[in-house]
């Protein structure tokens, strides 16, 4: 573990530059426009965002359209579609929000792209495909699509494909519904690319991508008496290469590794990753801040990162006794937990991301700050997603938070932090130093200086 004072001027060996910002400048943000998830596809050429209005916006790397351009970190809108609509559960008299909770890409196996998107109750499989040609020269209808009189047809024409302006179409291929009593918080595609799992507060279901009317319950932590409920599932993910292995985290700060080969219902975990609580830090808020909001396997499959309210922890799958690294994200908020509890910020769920080479970790904070941790050099930096430094290729200046005493010129006081501006969702390109950071209704894209 290292302290957050060991600031590196450039976040280790990566200097981050501004590349782009997507979204409106207006101060009055419409609730529906708030970004609720960010996800790169497997080669990083496409970047998807979901919002609270149920929309999915896909951006495409400009290198695909204009190769050999110097703008490697630039993404342009590729496709926008309405994934989910608001619904009403008449049996329970509950409104089901259209908000997109998670997006996960499937690996590309043909010219089309496929992604899974989910709201609180329903997972959908979308096909995103391109059309650049249209058929012409039909025999039974004219070019306007109007049927021709067969008696006037004197010659047989062979239809041909003619070039047309590129159209990107998104169509729903599967709808996986009615399998979750509680709100879905995670979806994860298996490495076999045939199955995926969806997790809610108390259960995890395993689906086949071709079968919508049947799923298998693989984890069920619901007690017989709901008054005995002590924890809920907060996140779940499949191992990147071992199709039988997955993990799920809980509100009690534990991570369970399960092997589907051992038994059909994985209520008995193979490994339990849990760090004993430091008695000196024990407080009324201990249980709340120890709840894990996100868990991610490294690309190599050897490590896990988990994010709780105040820190990011790195776990070695071979060692479940304690984390091998702990990175404080905003330790200066420990003294502010009471006011953060009163304004409900203490329940915010921050995500975390690995770099493509597993050497760096990124996660969000308040005041539109986000944190970068360099695992090799044990250095860290706080950066800000702001429209003030929007000049392309401008190197981001490290930000520092002052906790008391005399404040230096470039520092910001902990009492001046804006808790309404928070970076909950972010994504890291799978092979390049390009990151996408969601700040309310704006998507910032930053790239490493070459």
């Amino acid at each position: 573990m290292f302290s957050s004072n060991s600031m590196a001027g450039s976040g280790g060996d990566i200097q981050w530059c501004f590349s782009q910002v997507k979204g409106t400048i207006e101060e009055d943000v419409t609730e529906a426009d708030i970004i609720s998830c960010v996800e790169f596809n497997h080669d990083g050429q496409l970047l998807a965002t979901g919002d609270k209005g149920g929309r999915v916006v896909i951006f495409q790397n400009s290198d695909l359209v204009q190769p050999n351009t110097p703008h490697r970190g630039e993404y342009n809108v590729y496709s926008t579609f309405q994934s989910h609509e608001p619904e009403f559960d008449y049996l329970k008299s509950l409104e089901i929000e259209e908000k997109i909770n998670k997006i996960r890409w499937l690996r590309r196996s043909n010219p089309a792209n496929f992604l899974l998107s989910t709201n609180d109750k329903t997972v959908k499989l979308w096909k995103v495909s391109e059309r650049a040609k249209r058929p012409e020269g039909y025999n039974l209808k004219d070019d306007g699509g109007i049927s021709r009189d067969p008696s006037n047809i004197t010659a047989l024409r062979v239809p041909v494909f003619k070039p047309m302006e590129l159209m990107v179409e998104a169509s729903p291929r599967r709808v996986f519904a009615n399998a979750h009593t509680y709100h879905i918080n995670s979806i994860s595609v298996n490495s076999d690319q045939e199955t995926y799992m969806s997790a809610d507060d108390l259960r995890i279901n395993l689906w086949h991508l071709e079968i919508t009317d049947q799923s298998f319950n693989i984890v069920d932590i619901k007690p017989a008496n709901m008054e005995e409920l002590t924890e809920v599932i907060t996140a779940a993910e499949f191992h990147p290469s071992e199709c039988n292995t997955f993990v799920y985290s809980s509100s009690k700060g534990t991570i369970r590794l399960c092997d589907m080969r051992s038994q059909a219902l994985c209520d008995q975990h193979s490994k339990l990753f849990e760090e004993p609580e430091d008695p000196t830090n024990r407080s009324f808020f201990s249980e709340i801040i120890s709840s894990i909001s996100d868990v991610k396997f490294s690309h190599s499959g050897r490590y896990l990162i988990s994010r709780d309210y105040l820190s990011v922890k790195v776990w070695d799958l071979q060692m479940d006794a304690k984390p091998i690294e702990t990175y404080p994200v905003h330790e200066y908020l420990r003294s502010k937990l009471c006011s953060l509890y009163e304004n409900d910020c203490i329940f915010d769920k921050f995500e975390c991301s690995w770099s493509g080479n597993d050497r760096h970790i990124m996660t969000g904070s308040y005041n539109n700050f986000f944190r970068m941790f360099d695992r090799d050099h044990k250095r860290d930096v706080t950066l800000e997603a702001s429209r003030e430094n929007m000049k392309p290729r401008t190197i981001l200046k490290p930000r520092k938070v002052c906790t008391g005493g005399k404040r230096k010129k470039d520092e910001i006081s902990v009492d001046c932090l804006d808790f309404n501006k928070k970076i909950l969702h972010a994504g890291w390109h799978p092979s390049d130093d390009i990151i996408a950071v969601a700040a309310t209704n704006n998507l910032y894209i930053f790239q490493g200086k070459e």
Side-chain angles (χ1 to χ4, degrees), residues 144-195:
I146 300 165
S147 296
R148 295 168 64 191
D149 183 357
S151 61
N152 294 334
I153 299 171
T154 55
L156 189 67
R157 293 194 293 181
V158 177
V160 291
F161 278 104
K162 291 277 180 75
M164 61 176 265
E165 192 180 341
L166 179 70
M167 272 179 65
V168 181
E169 299 173 317
S171 53
R173 302 312 296 258
R174 305 272 185 281
V175 177
F176 306 89
N178 308 319
H180 285 277
T181 309
Y182 308 99
H183 290 179
I184 298 171
N185 55 49
S186 303
I187 49 175
S188 179
V189 181
N190 200 338
S191 59
D192 64 14
Q193 295 295 301
E194 288 186 1
T195 55

Side-chain angles (χ1 to χ4, degrees), residues 2 104 109 129 140 158 169 211 234 244 250 261 298 300 308 316 346 354 356 363 368 380 392 395 424 431 441:
F2 69 95
R104 289 292 180 265
S109 57
S129 53
L140 297 176
V158 177
E169 299 173 317
I211 302 166
T234 55
N244 51 277
S250 89
R261 294 172 301 185
S298 62
S300 66
D308 56 44
D316 188 327
I346 201 167
W354 290 95
T363 192
N368 277 1
D380 68 311
I395 294 176
L424 304 175
S431 55
N441 64 328

